[in-house]
Each structure stands twice: as C-alpha cells, then as structure tokens.
Amino acid sequence: RVQSDTRTRVRKQVTSGKKTTKPTKATVKQQQGKKGPLEMSAKKPVPFLRQVIPVTKKVHRDPRFDDLSGEYKPEIFMKTYSFLDSIKKQEKEMVQKQLKKCRNMEQKEKLQQLLNRMTQQEQAQKKQQKLREKELSLKRQQRELAKQGKKPFFLKKSEKRKLELAEKYAELKRSGKLESFLNKKRKRNAIKDKRRLPSQKNL
C-alpha cells in the first residue's frame, strides 16, 4: 500500500509540472561559497563584451607637449647636441669619397641625391642659427633700452622679412651670385605671370 501511494504521488507531481525536489540549504551554501563559481541570474541578459578583469588604460605621453620634459630652448638644445654636427660632417665626407669612386650610374645618382640633401640640411641649419643670433641680439638691445629707462621697440614680421632680404642680397653680392639669383627670380615671376594671364581657348 505504501509503495503504491508513493508511486501515485510521484505521477501526480510529474503530470501537474511541479518540481519533485527542492535544493537544500547545504547545496546553496556550497554554490555561494568562496571557491564556488559566480552565479548569474538567467532573467537578466548577459552583455556581449563582459569586462572580466579591470584593465588600467594606458595614457600616452608626448614629450613635446608635456611639462615634465621641460621647456624647449634652442640655444641649450644646440649646445647639448653640438656633437651631431661633427658626425654629419664625417658622413658627408664619406658620401663624397664614395661618389668619386662609384662607377655604377644608378648608385651614383642615389649618392648625389643624398649629398644634395645633406648640403640643403646644412644650409638650412646655418640659416636658422643666424636667425636665432639676430633675435638674441635684438633681445639684448631691448634689455639694454629697458635698463636705461627707454621704451623697447618690437619689430613687425614685415620689417623682419625686409631685414632678412637685405642681408640675403648683401651675402649674394659678396659671393658674386647676385646676378644668377636675380635671373632665376625673373624667370619664376615670368612663369607666374603667364599662368595668371587668360589662355587663348578662354578668349
């Protein structure tokens, strides 16, 4: 009788859809323990990209715009890296020697291009150095005027350009390259004028 009663009870529970066994307190404690896995509720949807371990974001530091690197001063920079000028000079001499010995035309062209680039960089560096020296001399003059109690004067960009052009012409006159420079400039201006003029098709 007892066996038949238990069977009928189980059949009724299965047919009605009720759970036969409930999780005991011991099993729940075991799941919620430290060593047990993390339980996620099935009601809330799990996100696609889940952050498992918190990662610290890398902050990139640009030394050009950072205060930690200090203030850029061209005078100090030129003094500290003055040894590079001697290295560049040696490299230029090596390229010149290779160019004299080289017989291959393609290699010779490459070496010539490299030599031209080196000379252009050297000229640009000298030009920048001269401009810095001029700016420093102007600053000294202004400081002296301020010490004397006079009002310091500040040159405009247009005035600075005029002074630079005058010095450039003076240097070209000394070297004897003024005529060739002027001829080139005339040709460039003539080409520019031709471009600006309306073409015969448009007329």
Side-chain angles (χ1 to χ4, degrees):
R1 277 178 190 175
V2 171
Q3 280 176 357
S4 62
D5 287 337
T6 51
R7 281 172 190 169
T8 51
R9 255 187 241 152
V10 169
R11 279 173 193 166
K12 279 177 185 178
Q13 281 172 356
V14 169
T15 51
S16 62
K18 289 178 182 178
K19 290 177 184 176
T20 52
T21 54
K22 288 181 181 179
T24 55
K25 286 180 182 179
T27 55
V28 171
K29 278 179 185 177
Q30 197 177 357
Q31 282 175 352
Q32 289 175 355
K34 287 179 182 179
K35 290 180 182 179
L38 185 72
E39 286 184 12
M40 298 290 285
S41 66
K43 289 174 184 177
K44 288 181 182 179
V46 181
F48 181 68
L49 296 167
R50 191 156 57 90
Q51 196 175 2
V52 181
I53 303 156
V55 181
T56 53
K57 197 178 180 182
K58 283 186 179 180
V59 180
H60 296 286
R61 191 172 71 84
D62 196 341
R64 296 173 299 169
F65 310 107
D66 202 349
D67 295 329
L68 294 166
S69 304
E71 196 180 346
Y72 172 69
K73 289 179 181 178
E75 297 87 25
I76 297 160
F77 183 83
M78 290 298 287
K79 280 178 185 177
T80 48
Y81 293 99
S82 58
F83 65 92
L84 289 169
D85 295 331
S86 60
I87 293 161
K88 282 176 183 177
K89 200 175 181 180
Q90 286 173 3
E91 284 176 352
K92 195 180 176 182
E93 285 171 4
M94 280 171 68
V95 170
Q96 283 172 341
K97 284 175 185 177
Q98 283 178 0
L99 191 67
K100 283 176 183 178
K101 289 175 184 177
C102 189
R103 300 292 177 192
N104 191 6
M105 289 301 289
E106 286 181 11
Q107 193 70 26
K108 204 171 186 177
E109 280 178 11
K110 283 178 183 178
L111 287 164
Q112 190 64 50
Q113 283 174 1
L114 184 65
L115 189 68
N116 291 336
R117 206 182 302 142
M118 281 175 163
T119 49
Q120 281 171 3
Q121 282 174 357
E122 200 177 339
Q123 284 169 1
Q125 198 175 344
K126 282 177 183 176
K127 196 179 178 181
Q128 282 177 354
Q129 204 168 351
K130 280 180 183 177
L131 285 166
R132 282 194 208 103
E133 283 170 7
K134 282 172 202 167
E135 282 173 4
L136 284 165
S137 66
L138 283 165
K139 280 177 184 177
R140 282 169 198 151
Q141 284 175 10
Q142 285 167 10
R143 281 171 195 164
E144 283 172 11
L145 287 166
K147 280 176 185 177
Q148 288 170 10
K150 293 174 183 177
K151 198 177 180 181
F153 64 93
F154 297 96
L155 288 167
K156 292 177 183 177
K157 283 183 179 180
S158 58
E159 289 171 356
K160 280 181 183 178
R161 278 176 200 160
K162 281 174 186 176
L163 286 166
E164 283 169 21
L165 281 165
E167 283 177 12
K168 194 178 182 180
Y169 275 97
E171 281 176 16
L172 288 162
K173 206 171 185 179
R174 279 176 220 149
S175 59
K177 293 175 182 177
L178 186 64
E179 282 296 322
S180 62
F181 176 76
L182 288 167
N183 286 327
K184 281 178 184 176
K185 202 161 192 183
R186 279 174 202 138
K187 282 176 183 176
R188 280 176 199 160
N189 290 333
I191 290 158
K192 280 178 185 177
D193 291 335
K194 276 181 182 178
R195 281 175 187 169
R196 283 171 190 168
L197 287 165
S199 60
Q200 288 181 349
K201 288 178 183 178
N202 295 330
L203 290 169

